[in-house]
Amino acid sequence: MATPAHLSLLFSKPSPPHRVLAFPKTGSNPHKKARFKCLASQSGFFTRLGRLIKEKAKSDVEKIFSGFSKTRDNLAVIDELLLYWNLAETDRVLDELEEVLLVSDFGPRITIKIVESLREDILAGKLKSGSEIKDTLKRIVLDLLIKKGNKVDLQLGFRKPAVVMIVGVNGGGKTTSLGDTFRAAASDQLEIWAERTGCDIVVAEKEKAKASSGLHTNYSLMEELIACKKAVGKVVPGAPNEILLVLDGNTGLNMLPQAREFNEVVGITGLILTKLDGSARGGCVVSVVDELGIPVKFVGVGEGVEDLQPFDAEAFVNAVFS
């Protein structure tokens, strides 16, 4: 069952390039001196933020590459299958390719779509070598990711401040992804993460304050998420700008039911897939985008400050099918 959502406000200045702030409790003392200065009203802020995220994705390709090493090792057998491929062995090779993709959690629907597309091109004489088959395999996967999950940039709009709501189940990787918690002793953890990342921080004045105030303790957690979303909208009209769901990559295709439920309740706009560095099931990235049509915005490939990476479809494909 899901824990209450985390709420973050994004601000910026030239250095550091971003700020991650815990959403303060409604009703805080308006005369208390704020511990941050909001620079979001500066002209071109969101354009610069989007550019910084894209630049980071391009500069950290090596981190993505190493982060998907286990999935890549799992798929390395494809090279062996295609090395001595010939037309007479097409059925055997494609059957084995299908098995490899399924083991890496590409999912039945995606796997069949890939294999049948390759079979059609082979029989039509369009693919005549193992290298051509692999190149086409990579192109098919990339096209799937781009077609159904093309809005990978954060959609922060023009209204300030921008609010990003984060949801997910226990142990999914929310804290590691954002350095943000909302439970007992959370303030101490927030202070530590703010220091690590060079961010200013705003916290609720009272201990044990919830992100959304006035909720009955007997409400279900999913109902609390709805209340959180409404509470944010009352404070910042039009918010949240994004609702991101954090999913544990180790769960593979089991993440799909979670994603469907959260999407029905609060309307997910993007995904953060975590712990992919420890999983050989990286194919779930393709499956979740194809099944839900929700873009992956970030991937977690470690527990360091720099290990939350903007998702780049082309870098992902090259990382798992190198």
Side-chain angles (χ1 to χ4, degrees):
M1 182 56 68
T3 56
H6 302 318
L7 307 177
S8 298
L9 293 178
L10 304 183
F11 299 88
S12 181
K13 64 179 180 180
S15 180
H18 69 280
R19 302 173 187 249
V20 181
L21 307 172
F23 195 83
K25 181 181 178 183
T26 303
S28 298
N29 185 355
H31 302 293
K32 185 174 180 178
K33 185 178 180 181
R35 295 167 61 190
F36 74 102
K37 181 181 179 181
C38 178
L39 302 180
S41 59
Q42 293 184 352
S43 176
F45 163 69
F46 293 116
T47 300
R48 293 197 305 275
L49 179 60
R51 185 172 65 249
L52 284 170
I53 291 175
K54 287 182 179 179
E55 290 174 355
K56 178 176 175 57
K58 296 299 182 184
S59 64
D60 290 340
V61 169
E62 182 59 35
K63 193 173 286 288
I64 294 290
F65 188 85
S66 61
F68 283 98
S69 60
K70 291 191 176 181
T71 299
R72 183 167 59 255
D73 291 344
N74 223 24
L75 294 171
V77 69
I78 292 176
D79 290 330
E80 298 177 20
L81 286 174
L82 298 178
L83 183 60
Y84 300 109
W85 172 85
N86 60 71
L87 186 61
E89 294 190 335
T90 296
D91 288 339
R92 179 189 66 81
V93 170
L94 291 180
D95 285 346
E96 292 190 34
L97 173 61
E98 179 178 315
E99 183 178 344
V100 172
L101 293 175
L102 288 172
V103 168
S104 296
D105 263 17
F106 275 80
R109 191 167 83 172
I110 286 290
T111 298
I112 292 173
K113 186 182 296 186
I114 292 172
V115 170
E116 291 309 311
S117 180
L118 290 173
R119 190 190 309 277
E120 182 178 328
D121 285 350
I122 291 171
L123 296 179
K126 296 179 181 179
L127 304 177
K128 300 178 181 179
S129 68
S131 61
E132 289 182 349
I133 293 174
K134 184 175 180 180
D135 288 343
T136 303
L137 166 63
K138 293 171 66 174
R139 179 185 56 76
I140 292 171
V141 173
L142 181 60
D143 287 348
L144 286 169
L145 289 171
I146 293 176
K147 181 179 179 181
K148 290 197 173 182
N150 59 343
K151 293 183 178 180
V152 295
D153 296 336
L154 288 176
Q155 307 297 308
L156 300 180
F158 299 98
R159 190 185 299 270
K160 291 86 174 178
V163 181
V164 178
M165 182 174 178
I166 307 298
V167 300
V169 302
N170 284 334
K174 296 186 298 296
T175 301
T176 302
S177 295
L178 300 183
D180 186 7
T181 60
F182 223 110
R183 55 179 179 270
S187 295
D188 294 338
Q189 291 173 286
L190 282 167
E191 294 280 357
I192 293 172
W193 274 106
E195 182 178 351
R196 288 177 180 174
T197 57
C199 295
D200 292 338
I201 178 175
V202 176
V203 297
E205 292 183 357
K206 296 181 180 180
E207 293 184 2
K208 300 182 180 180
K210 291 186 177 181
S212 58
S213 57
L215 297 179
H216 194 280
T217 56
N218 290 332
Y219 280 11
S220 73
L221 294 177
M222 296 304 277
E223 287 174 327
E224 287 195 27
L225 287 181
I226 297 173
C228 283
K229 181 179 178 181
K230 291 180 179 178
V232 174
K234 289 179 180 178
V235 177
V236 182
N241 300 75
E242 290 267 16
I243 302 177
L244 305 183
L245 171 62
V246 179
L247 295 169
D248 182 350
N250 286 310
T251 63
L253 291 177
N254 291 326
M255 68 174 60
L256 287 173
Q258 294 178 29
R260 290 192 187 99
E261 183 177 353
F262 277 101
N263 192 39
E264 289 176 2
V265 172
V266 292
I268 302 301
T269 61
L271 304 170
I272 301 176
L273 302 186
T274 64
K275 308 181 186 180
L276 291 169
D277 55 310
S279 172
R281 308 170 77 178
C284 63
V285 174
V286 186
S287 295
V288 74
V289 171
D290 181 70
E291 291 274 347
L292 303 176
I294 299 173
V296 177
K297 306 234 173 183
F298 296 93
V299 289
V301 292
E303 295 186 354
V305 172
E306 296 295 324
D307 288 337
L308 182 67
Q309 296 293 311
F311 181 68
D312 182 290
E314 186 175 356
F316 165 77
V317 171
N318 289 332
V320 298
F321 292 110
S322 66

